[in-house]
Amino acid sequence: MEGVPLEGGNSNAPVRFGDRVHRVAGPWTPTVHAYLRHLRSHGVDLVPEPFGFDEQGREVLAFLPGAVPAYPLPEPVWSDAFLAQAAAVLRRLHDASVGFAPDDAVWQQPVREPVEVIAVNDFAPHNLVLDRDAITGVIDLDQAAPGPRVRDLAHLAYRLVPLTAPGNEDGRPTPIQERGRRLRLLAGAYGDVEPGAIAGAVGPLLDDLAEHAAARGLPDHAALYVGDAVHHRAALDAVLHGVG
């Protein structure tokens, strides 16, 4: 069977063969597969089922049918209902991951304190599979690693509140008061977290993303993250207090 290359996937070079996807693996892949099996055994069937490795050493995962949003994001992804749904899905992933701590774990991302859950570390629209406006899958979990809940919430808020700078076309022009309202909506939909904690984690997250992009030789991406971080820190108090 001839494989069909899939868009996205960055350096993973995903290729679809029927109902399976073959992707470039790393030292962390066995741990991620164990994590996926753990999630699925705890009722989270939104993540792909892993099937080990092919003869070329690539990981093999179940193909999740549906549409993955591309940037600029389509209008339905900006709805309040979608934001609340995404927060609820993230809460399911986090809660199901509690207690997963294999002794021989190898992670692509560093373990970050406080360790509360297995953080996805890239929970964003570009890794969600949709059936119209319903989230039916979560893909590309190979950056997952133990860490705090709020880091994933910060990433989701950055992309979907949004907390981007005006020059970043991946976001959309959003008044300060609306950003504050949507940040509170996200926090409420996830539960047990203050909007200020999420907003406070965005700056450090963007610093990490900028550093990672620069290390990968992506200066334009790094510059966008730096600009977003500067803008976010300047507007943080206004967003939290709904002024402007």
Side-chain angles (χ1 to χ4, degrees):
M1 182 183 300
E2 184 176 351
V4 179
L6 299 176
E7 295 183 1
N10 296 321
S11 60
N12 298 108
V15 180
R16 179 183 177 186
F17 294 87
D19 61 356
R20 305 283 171 90
V21 175
H22 297 227
R23 306 193 325 156
V24 174
W28 49 83
T29 304
T31 299
V32 174
H33 282 196
Y35 162 59
L36 295 176
R37 288 191 292 269
H38 176 88
L39 291 178
R40 293 180 62 84
S41 71
H42 284 73
V44 183
D45 58 0
L46 296 170
V47 300
E49 182 178 359
F51 293 101
F53 301 86
D54 66 13
E55 66 280 357
Q56 298 179 34
R58 296 176 299 183
E59 67 169 330
V60 182
L61 302 164
F63 173 75
L64 300 184
V68 177
Y71 296 98
L73 296 173
E75 190 61 31
V77 175
W78 292 112
S79 71
D80 283 1
F82 187 87
L83 178 61
Q85 183 186 180
V89 167
L90 179 59
R91 182 65 188 252
R92 284 185 64 195
L93 289 171
H94 281 172
D95 287 355
S97 76
V98 173
F100 178 73
D103 293 334
D104 57 349
V106 176
W107 304 103
Q108 181 177 182
Q109 288 271 346
V111 174
R112 296 181 173 92
E113 297 292 342
V115 171
E116 299 170 329
V117 295
I118 303 300
V120 178
N121 288 318
D122 197 12
F123 190 86
H126 53 260
N127 285 329
L128 301 178
V129 181
L130 312 182
D131 179 3
R132 286 180 280 189
D133 57 354
I135 299 173
T136 57
V138 183
I139 58 175
D140 290 353
L141 291 102
D142 46 299
Q143 294 191 58
R149 294 173 182 264
V150 74
R151 183 178 173 86
D152 280 343
L153 285 163
H155 205 146
L156 185 60
Y158 165 61
R159 289 295 187 182
L160 274 188
V161 166
L163 298 174
T164 49
N168 190 338
E169 296 180 355
D170 288 349
R172 66 172 352 189
T174 308
I176 289 292
Q177 289 181 324
E178 176 67 358
R179 292 184 181 212
R181 185 190 70 81
R182 284 176 61 82
L183 180 63
R184 291 188 290 274
L185 172 64
L186 187 160
Y190 183 90
D192 306 314
V193 63
E194 293 297 322
I198 300 174
V202 172
L205 167 71
L206 292 174
D207 292 342
D208 286 348
L209 293 177
E211 182 178 347
H212 182 63
R216 293 178 57 205
L218 301 171
D220 291 343
H221 287 73
L224 275 178
Y225 290 133
V226 169
D228 286 338
V230 170
H231 175 79
H232 172 68
R233 287 183 166 110
L236 181 57
D237 285 345
V239 169
L240 291 177
H241 296 97
V243 298

